[in-house]
Amino acid sequence: MSHVLAAVAWPYANGPRHIGHVSGFGVPSDVFARYMRMAGHDVLMVSGTDEHGTPIQVQADAEGVTPRELADRYNRVIAEDLRALGLSYDLFTRTTTRNHYAVVQELFTGLHRNGYIVPKVTTGAISPSTGRTLPDRYIEGTCPICGYDSARGDQCDNCGNQLDPIDLIDPKSKINGETPEFVETEHFFLDLPALADALRQWLDSRDGWRPNVLRFSRNLLDDLQPRAITRDLEWGVPIPLEGWQDRSDKRIYVWFDAVIGYLSASIEWARRSGDPEAWRKWWSADAEGKDARSYYFMGKDNIVFHSVIWPALLGGYSGDGSRDGEPGDLGRLNLPTEVVSSEYLTMEGRKFSSSRKVVIYVRDFLERYDADALRYFIAVAGPESNDTDFTWAEFLRRNNDELVAGWGNLVNRSVSMAAKNFGAIPPVDPAGLTDADRALLDTAKAGFAVVGDLIARHRQKQAIGEAMKVVAEANKYLSEQAPWKLKGDDDKPRMGTILHVALQVVSDANTLLTPFLPHSAQKIHELLGGTGVHAPMPVIEEVDDLDGGPAYPVLTGDYTVGARWESVPLEVGRPLAAPKPVFRKLDPSIVDEELARLAG
Ligand SMILES: [Zn+2]
């Protein structure tokens, strides 16, 4: 057993999330966390909404509300969507808590004391027509590194390099098209070159990462520059240094504060648990965290923040860089064990785009379809290691042919036949099991090692494929054994044996599928006569800010209950009722309806 941190990317609170987002960071991290808990690990799964930064400021200005009001609105929407998907966060919080501010300021102070944050006078962009700071993301131009002509001021989406807007060739404001003016202003910089050697050593010691992530991260180290971490902006975490703390025009910038959320959310979780130091078991690089492992889940556009920036902050705070230094009050902190990045999901062949309405929001999806239908699609056909396309036709096919006709049909016919003929889990005939019975039972049992190992190595597509193979074998077994033909009194013991074997394999396959399909797993557990919680679910709680700020909702849950990752022998004689279908077969007309919605 070890302490496993599932650190899930922080959705930005400027609107509802679409299914592309949750197929990248959401469902895969939940499958992993659920499996690790079932396998007996002590899992802490944390995240929250990322609420600072210029896009929220700009959007709030446009709507005539405060940034906080905008963040309040979308924090609620996003937390509710993630709950409805069954994502089992121990704590899903937000970056506007006082606890988060304090942890961000502690990291900043520690890095500054160790010499990895340095002040520098630099040139920043302002809008000549309004005189206000022009945010990086609102400046577009040609990338000075690769020549891509739509690079953003903060990052080039083509080559992945972080940029400063002044480096762009022919910069333009995306708000009104004017050419920004660059003026001198003082800011703090993270001295990434002083941490580059330590980062390289650490990356060289990483095992089992997806090769594309490792290659991409190593390339970034070749050209590391000091990076500004403060901005001329009112909306954000104040700079915790004398002479700066009370300035309302300078703030820590959003990318610096958001990655610290993993740590601040863990600390908030510990404080709420009644043991304020408990977070150290997942984070301390000293004895307290000796069995800790941490896994970070995100879309590929966020790799740089997790494989370079965040490790740089942790290393610098711990004093591991060319300037050495001493760790602050939080102690020496663990760097990520693994950065698990997914690729992009497209929609009917196009990139998701809220502005162009190429989008389906999680809430809209869940109004019309079940959460497990979406979770199934993401698991079998999501963007795990390649960009993949969501099409309604494929969603319909996967749902009807695989989930309903494969898994749902196996559950339904086994349970109904047993309920009708025995009213309970039937006994095994004293004559014993046949080779075919044993072979099927062994296949299901062997699934635990195979599927578990694949999930632990982030090969979820293969993992669910192996679980569905058990389902296919069981369907084949039922067809071959044809228990419905064994109606006579003499045949009934054999019928009971076949149904006992089938139900045992349904129970095992249900456990194998629980990390992927937790909602239906609970229902199937109950169809088999089981009681209690099989797959625990998250809940939303309204909580007070621990340090006197405004109250807010968090997503949390009790995940100490539920099934373990093992085959549990069914209890003979446990009563069974006639089942209701677990999965919904969809009418083919939904494809045209959804495409019309998309067009309209
Ligand atoms: Zn570029």
Side-chain angles (χ1 to χ4, degrees):
M1 194 196 93
S2 51
H3 287 84
V4 172
L5 179 73
V8 190
W10 289 57
Y12 197 57
N14 65 339
R17 298 296 88 182
H18 58 63
I19 60 168
H21 292 128
V22 296
S23 65
F25 70 79
V27 172
S29 58
D30 186 59
V31 170
F32 178 78
R34 284 181 179 275
Y35 162 71
M36 291 307 251
R37 289 190 193 106
M38 291 173 78
H41 298 290
D42 212 337
V43 173
L44 181 61
M45 176 166 160
V46 290
S47 186
T49 41
D50 173 6
E51 302 183 358
H52 293 123
T54 45
I56 283 179
Q57 175 78 65
V58 168
Q59 191 174 329
D61 287 350
E63 291 188 21
V65 298
T66 66
R68 172 79 197 205
E69 285 166 342
L70 189 84
D72 281 349
R73 185 199 312 159
Y74 289 118
N75 162 264
R76 258 173 214 284
V77 168
I78 292 168
E80 175 50 35
D81 285 350
L82 303 182
R83 186 206 61 75
L85 272 173
L87 306 185
S88 58
Y89 292 95
D90 290 281
L91 184 70
F92 184 87
T93 177
R94 54 197 304 194
T95 57
T96 44
T97 68
R98 294 205 179 165
N99 174 76
H100 178 71
Y101 276 42
V103 175
V104 170
Q105 292 180 333
E106 168 60 20
L107 268 271
F108 187 103
T109 308
L111 282 156
H112 183 257
R113 196 173 46 232
N114 285 342
Y116 298 106
I117 288 179
V118 290
K120 205 164 125 177
V121 174
T122 176
T123 27
I126 59 158
S127 153
S129 60
T130 65
R132 291 176 63 193
T133 292
L134 192 55
D136 294 358
R137 293 166 65 105
Y138 292 85
I139 303 175
E140 207 172 55
T142 300
C143 173
I145 297 165
C146 74
Y148 178 59
D149 64 5
S150 306
R152 291 196 321 235
D154 57 346
Q155 185 174 321
C156 173
D157 284 338
N158 187 50
C159 65
N161 281 289
Q162 289 181 59
L163 302 172
D164 264 319
I166 196 163
D167 298 330
L168 289 176
I169 299 159
D170 193 20
K172 290 271 186 281
S173 162
K174 283 169 79 174
I175 297 170
N176 59 13
E178 66 188 347
T179 302
E181 196 177 302
F182 291 93
V183 297
E184 292 215 321
T185 168
E186 188 175 21
H187 280 296
F188 286 95
F189 280 68
L190 179 65
D191 191 355
L192 286 166
L195 295 154
D197 284 346
L199 285 171
R200 196 177 305 277
Q201 264 183 28
W202 167 72
L203 277 176
D204 285 347
S205 72
R206 297 298 90 196
D207 278 339
W209 284 30
R210 292 181 181 158
N212 57 332
V213 179
L214 211 47
R215 197 166 42 238
F216 180 83
S217 308
R218 284 212 181 94
N219 287 343
L220 291 171
L221 294 186
D222 292 339
D223 189 34
L224 275 189
Q225 303 296 327
R227 182 84 184 139
I229 56 166
T230 55
R231 289 291 189 275
D232 295 293
L233 192 69
E234 290 161 47
W235 178 235
V237 181
I239 300 162
L241 297 175
E242 225 184 282
W244 293 83
Q245 178 85 48
D246 299 324
R247 290 187 63 164
S248 65
D249 59 336
K250 301 269 186 187
R251 287 289 182 265
I252 293 175
Y253 198 52
V254 62
W255 65 258
F256 183 93
D257 100 64
V259 285
I260 297 173
Y262 300 117
L263 177 60
S264 70
S266 301
I267 292 174
E268 182 185 341
W269 170 84
R271 292 177 68 194
R272 293 191 183 283
S273 80
D275 177 2
E277 300 300 319
W279 62 273
R280 293 184 193 273
K281 286 182 259 180
W282 286 269
W283 282 96
S284 173
D286 300 322
E288 293 156 291
K290 64 181 182 309
D291 69 349
R293 288 183 279 157
S294 54
Y295 299 85
Y296 290 74
F297 294 85
M298 76 221 61
K300 66 179 164 186
D301 50 337
N302 271 324
I303 294 175
V304 59
F305 295 104
H306 298 85
S307 67
V308 175
I309 304 282
W310 180 224
L313 300 188
L314 291 164
Y317 180 81
S318 299
D320 297 332
S322 65
R323 301 213 171 95
D324 297 325
E326 292 296 323
D329 291 348
L330 301 174
R332 283 168 44 78
L333 299 169
N334 278 323
L335 272 56
T337 304
E338 198 170 339
V339 170
V340 187
S341 133
S342 65
E343 306 290 305
Y344 292 139
L345 189 73
T346 52
M347 174 98 190
E348 299 286 349
R350 290 181 290 170
K351 265 179 99 166
F352 276 93
S353 161
S354 303
S355 52
R356 276 172 288 145
K357 303 228 167 72
V358 185
V359 73
I360 173 136
Y361 293 113
V362 172
R363 167 157 311 185
D364 296 339
F365 195 101
L366 295 182
E367 264 176 21
R368 302 197 281 281
Y369 311 102
D370 295 332
D372 280 6
L374 178 57
R375 291 179 64 119
Y376 181 76
F377 183 90
I378 291 170
V380 294
E384 183 176 271
S385 51
N386 293 100
D387 290 351
T388 50
D389 195 30
F390 177 91
T391 66
W392 286 105
E394 182 68 355
F395 171 69
L396 176 84
R397 189 187 73 74
R398 295 276 188 186
N399 183 77
N400 286 1
D401 295 1
E402 297 176 8
L403 207 50
V404 177
W407 179 218
N409 182 40
L410 174 67
V411 173
N412 199 56
R413 60 181 176 153
S414 319
V415 177
S416 21
M417 238 182 298
K420 188 173 152 213
N421 291 284
F422 298 89
I425 306 280
V428 173
D429 179 3
L433 298 171
T434 65
D435 287 350
D437 300 341
R438 274 201 199 88
L440 181 64
L441 288 168
D442 289 349
T443 300
K445 279 213 177 72
F448 286 90
V450 175
V451 176
D453 177 63
L454 287 166
I455 298 176
R457 292 189 292 121
H458 313 293
R459 287 164 172 81
Q460 297 189 1
K461 247 181 214 187
Q462 247 180 298
I464 195 167
E466 291 293 332
M468 291 301 281
K469 264 190 210 163
V470 174
V471 170
E473 285 296 316
N475 270 323
K476 190 162 146 255
Y477 167 88
L478 272 184
S479 302
E480 285 167 4
Q481 301 294 325
W484 48 88
K485 289 184 183 161
L486 304 170
K487 289 281 177 162
D489 284 351
D490 290 355
D491 289 335
K492 200 151 183 203
R494 178 60 195 155
M495 183 199 216
T497 302
I498 295 166
L499 291 174
H500 182 99
V501 168
L503 290 172
Q504 180 63 53
V505 172
V506 165
S507 169
D508 289 350
N510 192 42
T511 306
L512 296 175
L513 287 166
T514 297
F516 300 101
L517 308 173
H519 302 89
S520 44
Q522 179 69 37
K523 287 186 196 160
I524 292 166
H525 168 76
E526 289 162 15
L527 288 182
L528 292 171
T531 53
V533 175
H534 175 87
M537 285 295 159
V539 291
I540 289 180
E541 281 177 13
E542 297 289 326
V543 296
D544 287 328
D545 185 282
L546 291 165
D547 308 293
Y552 54 97
V554 297
L555 197 50
T556 184
D558 175 10
Y559 312 115
T560 58
V561 291
R564 308 306 299 247
W565 193 253
E566 62 193 11
S567 171
V568 179
L570 286 179
E571 200 188 316
V572 171
R574 194 160 75 184
L576 292 174
K580 286 182 279 228
V582 178
F583 301 104
R584 284 195 292 157
K585 189 172 180 186
L586 299 172
D587 193 278
S589 65
I590 67 135
V591 174
D592 286 342
E593 282 165 29
E594 294 292 352
L595 290 174
R597 256 193 203 104
L598 208 54

